[in-house]
Amino acid sequence: LPIRSLGVSNYALEDYTELMEHATIKPVINQIEVNPFLYRKNTLTFFESQGVKIQSYRALRDGKAFDHPVVVQVATAAGKTPAQVLGRWCVQKGFIYIPKSVKRERMEENAAVFDWTLDATQMAKLDSLTSEAHLATFKELYRKCVVRDTPLATAENPGTKENITVD
C-alpha cells in the first residue's frame, strides 16, 4: 500500500527542510515538546506555515510545573487545577493535546479543558514562561538525542546540526 500520510517526532525546522529535499510525501504532524515553559514560537510558526499540525508531548511537564507560582496563580483565578491550565493553554494555542496518565481521576481532570477559556492576560502570563535557560536545555537535549539516534555518528562527526532554530 502506498503511504498516504506521514508523521514525524522532534523535528526542528532544519530537520523538516532536509526531509523535504528528498521526501515525496509531506508530514502532516510533528510531535514535539510544547508547553508554556518550552514555547518555541518561530518553530511553531514555521510548521504552521507548512500545514504541519503540532502534537504536544509533555504538555503537563510530568507534573513539574504544577507548583510554579504563575501556573498556580492562573489556576486559582480560573478555578481550575494546574494540569487543566497547562492543558487548556495547549488547546487554546491549537496544538493537539494528548496527556498521559494511568489514573482514571487524572484522565478525567486532564480532559476537562474544552468548556472554558483562559483570558488574554492569563495566556500572556503563561506565554512568558519560556526562558533562555529552557531553550538552552532543549538544544542540548536535541543534540544528545540526534547523536544517540544517528547510527553513523562518531566523536569526530557527531551527526548533529550545530545551528538549529531553538525558539
Side-chain angles (χ1 to χ4, degrees):
L1 292 177
I3 296 172
R4 294 186 304 180
S5 83
L6 178 66
V8 294
S9 181
N10 295 316
Y11 266 47
L13 67 92
E14 291 81 6
D15 298 317
Y16 179 86
T17 302
E18 181 181 349
L19 173 69
M20 293 314 297
E21 289 171 3
H22 307 283
T24 58
I25 297 172
K26 188 174 177 178
V28 296
I29 191 167
N30 185 10
Q31 182 188 55
I32 61 175
E33 181 177 351
V34 181
N35 56 61
F37 297 87
L38 194 56
Y39 181 36
R40 297 165 46 213
K41 295 175 193 171
N42 289 322
T43 296
L44 297 165
T45 299
F46 171 81
F47 281 105
E48 182 178 299
S49 77
Q50 298 299 306
V52 178
K53 297 291 183 189
I54 298 296
Q55 179 185 343
S56 172
Y57 76 81
R58 287 198 74 228
L60 304 182
R61 295 197 74 224
D62 303 325
K64 294 176 183 155
F66 291 174
D67 60 353
H68 188 279
V70 172
V71 175
V72 170
Q73 186 268 329
V74 170
T76 301
K80 302 295 179 180
T81 67
Q84 289 170 322
V85 165
L86 294 173
R88 180 62 207 179
W89 180 88
C90 283
V91 168
Q92 215 157 307
K93 290 289 184 184
F95 308 132
I96 299 166
Y97 164 67
I98 304 177
K100 176 185 155 193
S101 183
V102 296
K103 297 185 178 181
R104 182 178 181 87
E105 58 275 4
R106 285 196 185 142
M107 289 179 197
E108 291 171 358
E109 173 189 346
N110 293 341
V113 297
F114 298 102
D115 60 348
W116 59 281
T117 59
L118 295 164
D119 67 32
T121 302
Q122 292 167 325
M123 289 295 285
K125 285 179 183 178
L126 294 168
D127 288 354
S128 72
L129 294 176
T130 298
S131 68
E132 289 300 319
H134 290 124
L135 294 173
T137 299
F138 159 75
K139 187 173 185 177
E140 287 309 309
L141 183 60
Y142 172 88
R143 283 184 175 155
K144 175 183 168 188
C145 292
V146 168
V147 169
R148 180 196 67 209
D149 296 340
T150 304
L152 300 177
T154 64
E156 300 80 36
N157 180 19
T160 61
K161 293 171 187 69
E162 293 299 317
N163 297 310
I164 63 163
T165 303
V166 176
D167 67 344

